[in-house]
Amino acid sequence: MAEHESLEYGKADFVLLDNVSMEEFMGNLKLRFEKGRIYSYIGEVVVSVNPYRAMNIYGRDTIEQYKGRELYERPPHLFAIADAAYKAMKRRNKDTCIVISGESGAGKTEASKYIMQYIAAITNPNQRAEVERVKNMLLKSNCVLEAFGNAKTNRNDNSSRFGKYMDINFDFKGDPIGGHISNYLLEKVNGTLCVSARHQLLRGAPDSLLRSLHIQKDPTAYNYIKVGVNSHTHTVADAMKVIGFTGDEVQTVYKILATILHLGNLTFGVDGDVTLIENPKLVSILRELLSTKEENVEKAMLYRTVATGRDVIEKQHTIQEASYGRDALAKAMYERLFCWIVGRINDIIEVRNYDARVHGKNTVIGVLDIYGFEIFQNNSFEQFCINYCNEKLQQLFIQLVLKQEQEEYQREGIPWKHIDYFNNQIIVDLVEQQHKGIFSVLDEACMNVGKVTDEVFLQGLNGKLAKHAHYTSRKLSPTDKSLEFDRDFRIRHYAGDVVYSVVGFIDKNKDTLFQDFKRLLYNSANPVLKAMWPEGKLSITEVTKRPLTAATLFKNSMISLVENLASKEPYYVRCIKPNDVKSPLLFEQERCRHQVEYLGLLENVRVRRAGFAYRQTYPRFLQRYKMISEFTWPNHDLPSDKDAVKRLMQGCGFDHDVAYGKTKVFIRTPRTLFSLEEQRAEMVQRIVLFLQKVWRGTIARMRYRRMRAALVILRAYRRYKVKSYIREVNRRFKNVRAMKDYGRHVKWPTPPKVLRKFEEALRSIYNRWWAWTLIKGLSPEEALQVRAKVASLEALKGQRADLGLQRAWEGNYLVSMWDCNSPDTASSFTLVSSELQRKDKFMRVLFSCNVRKINRFHKAEDRAVLITDRHLYKMDPLKQYKPMKSIPLYNVTGVSVSPGKDQLVVFHTKDSRDLVVCLQGMVPANESRIGELVGTLLSHFKR
């Protein structure tokens, strides 16, 4: 049973439906489609509904979820069936195959590509170049075959018009080493077949290529072109080169496609009794593309060579015969081209130099992507073959499913009871039986002498099959007006009644290509084209066996295919088309119901449900449900897993609905399984809560122990770092007293983060000690000057550049050599200073110098300033330094200086009569006296 899908998405496996009926089946299928679940199971069969939208369920993450898992362990998916086939091939050394079927547009080709993608992704863990090359070629071959084998139809924009069976060969390690492709019935319809490949000449082809092929980009210029699938030349060409096609081979492919397009435009007319070509320029183009002579092309188009004994006669075509031959040539060239491409791919990807005795057994996974059973308004010869193919595959499918069920019951010792089902062997015999079957009647009609018509074929059918229960026609049922006289016959298939029209059966069954065309193409100078037509080498008079008809060839290929599939372990993908408008939301109930009938899905469910709906090995059953019983949780102590399962089922009260095989437990009804799932879900929730509690406690204890250990380590480390730092500081500053600069040159060690503030305090202590050591030997005058300089630095650091800290401060400049112009001037100032000291009783002179005073009228005058420890004096130097103004220092509230190089000073007073002066006089190195003035005043006031 698939995990991780609740019942809100419906039943993931149709075998688990409560009631096996068409209504229950369709309701579950619709619910899953509407919920976005496009895949479901019928046992080991995958049912796929085309979603008509991109779905993010095919990426690398999804591949990893299904890799190596059992089929029931994950929700239904194509990857699950692909992995099951790969495991059966690799583990049990069995050849396997995956059969993909469904009607046109149901998504068969996409399903085969996703299966190929999955197989390519899970192999080759060592990324070996050879294995990568094989995988790449197998994937690229899909691109090429789709380009040449797909076409736009009424039901599908990218419909595969051929059946494809691909064998992927693996070595004993499970790595792909090669492959082989078989194709079935490339439809022989008119020249519009597979327009995608021809359309690529008009979409994306370079102009140089189009010019060389004489092709225009306008698709309406060609009678054989209709708007079809967009296919890009460079994509297909690149894929062909990757696979191994040579440049000449790719060029020949384009020449053949161009030839077919030009043939469609070739028209014929009449001049008297002579049939001629109306557009002879095209003959020259065809001659160039086919690498042959122009007269040979024209002759093959207008004449037919007939041998009567030893005589050879050239019979001229009528317009109708020439047109028929032209169309037959176009169809035959395309069919032969497709078969050649398939053969060429096989030549490249086939297993080479593989010796089973040396390399081990070569195993195979086959992927069959084939058309599904369909009913149209006008069912043709091709549709008859397709439906016959589905009858054969349905017969094989039912037989193998029954065989697998019966073999499993026998292995497990479970009694087998007979199952009634529709055996379609009678319909298969109706088609393929020797001498009596429809194919035999058709071949006989084609071999008759004279003009053979489709009506003659229908008469033969009515004669031989009149009493067959599954065949009828209007002649046999005159009252059935759904059948046309001399045209229709009806067959009762396993999936329903289908009416076929015999129109075209004879022509499509015979090899209608004139031998002249085969000789024309065989005699081409192009070796690739020549190799496609080996029968053209026969001489005109040479008698050959009648070639096999299309019906016989297809019947033989189907018989061979079924024998091939029957020899392998099969897996099935049944594809369903939900609607005709390609809507991702619309689920057409009636249309899907018909497809379910055509595919025999309900029959499959009934066969699977005839005995037991669910079976599983004892260990895996216990692993999933052991938490339900106290006897099996967490582990049992019973003699075997079988006994443990018995005890579990008895405890749940389901013993009456169960059978016990040798290795598996069989559950009869889905209700028992759903009840087990419900009990398991309830117990899992409780177990999860318990585990969460235990785990959270464990995590908390682990976190606490880690934190505690980290704290111990952190403390020890901090102590270590602190001690190391202290030791290093002590080592570096050990002899600091003996150093000339008392350790100013010593670089401090980097402290640990925890000691950064401590380092700042230590540096401050050192700096104070260093300063104290320097100043303790100074005289009182020198100490005063140092204090003044410190005060100046603290006040003006960063404000002015020249503070004069490097020189000795004179202070009283009016008695020094710097400001005295003559001894008389110094003498005059000394007398005035002494008089003021006697009068005002000041102790010492702090500062004096000549200044320029700026008055309130903005006029400058020469003055002198004397600052003592009690007053600030303004003097007139021109009058022997006569005091002009005296300001007590306690009235001075502050001093302002400018940040520039000038020596402007403003003395602020309490009465707001500020004194603005500019200091004058020279000092060593032209240094400013501003710093000295400010420092001296600050130092004085601090004392």
Side-chain angles (χ1 to χ4, degrees), residues 498-511:
V498 183
V499 177
Y500 298 98
S501 170
V502 297
V503 176
F505 266 60
I506 295 293
D507 286 341
K508 292 174 180 178
N509 191 43
K510 293 193 299 185
D511 181 6

Side-chain angles (χ1 to χ4, degrees), residues 579-592:
N579 58 75
D580 280 325
V581 294
K582 304 175 180 65
S583 168
L585 304 175
L586 181 61
F587 186 89
E588 294 179 354
Q589 191 89 8
E590 196 59 31
R591 149 170 275 289
C592 295

Side-chain angles (χ1 to χ4, degrees), residues 44 229 278 281 363 540 625 641 667 669 766 869-870 872:
E44 295 182 351
V229 183
E278 292 183 332
K281 286 185 179 179
T363 48
I540 299 172
Y625 298 111
D641 288 344
I667 298 177
T669 61
Y766 166 77
D869 53 4
R870 300 190 67 175
L872 166 64

Side-chain angles (χ1 to χ4, degrees), residues 16 219 285 309 337 355 362 558 663 706 775 870 872:
L16 301 178
I285 294 174
L337 171 63
D355 187 347
N362 176 346
M558 284 298 102
T663 63
R706 283 197 299 267
I775 65 175
R870 300 190 67 175
L872 166 64

Side-chain angles (χ1 to χ4, degrees), residues 859-923:
K859 290 184 179 180
E861 297 174 331
D862 289 333
R863 293 289 185 265
V865 171
L866 170 64
I867 302 174
T868 68
D869 53 4
R870 300 190 67 175
H871 290 81
L872 166 64
Y873 301 98
K874 180 177 72 172
M875 300 177 172
D876 188 351
L878 299 178
K879 297 181 179 180
Q880 284 77 38
Y881 291 100
K882 178 182 177 181
M884 301 177 65
K885 185 176 182 180
S886 173
I887 303 173
L889 280 186
Y890 57 79
N891 281 341
V892 177
T893 59
V895 178
S896 295
V897 299
S898 69
K901 292 185 178 181
D902 57 74
Q903 299 196 64
L904 187 67
V905 180
V906 178
F907 295 96
H908 301 287
T909 61
K910 291 181 180 180
D911 57 4
S912 298
R913 299 181 66 181
D914 299 345
L915 176 63
V916 182
V917 298
C918 184
L919 305 184
Q920 288 184 319
M922 298 297 292
V923 295

Side-chain angles (χ1 to χ4, degrees), residues 75 182 554 648 666 694:
S182 301
F554 187 72
L648 188 152
F666 288 72
V694 173

Side-chain angles (χ1 to χ4, degrees), residues 200 232-242 250 254:
Q200 64 180 295
H232 298 286
T233 303
H234 62 84
T235 304
V236 179
D238 290 345
M240 294 177 75
K241 289 176 182 176
V242 169
V250 175
Y254 290 135

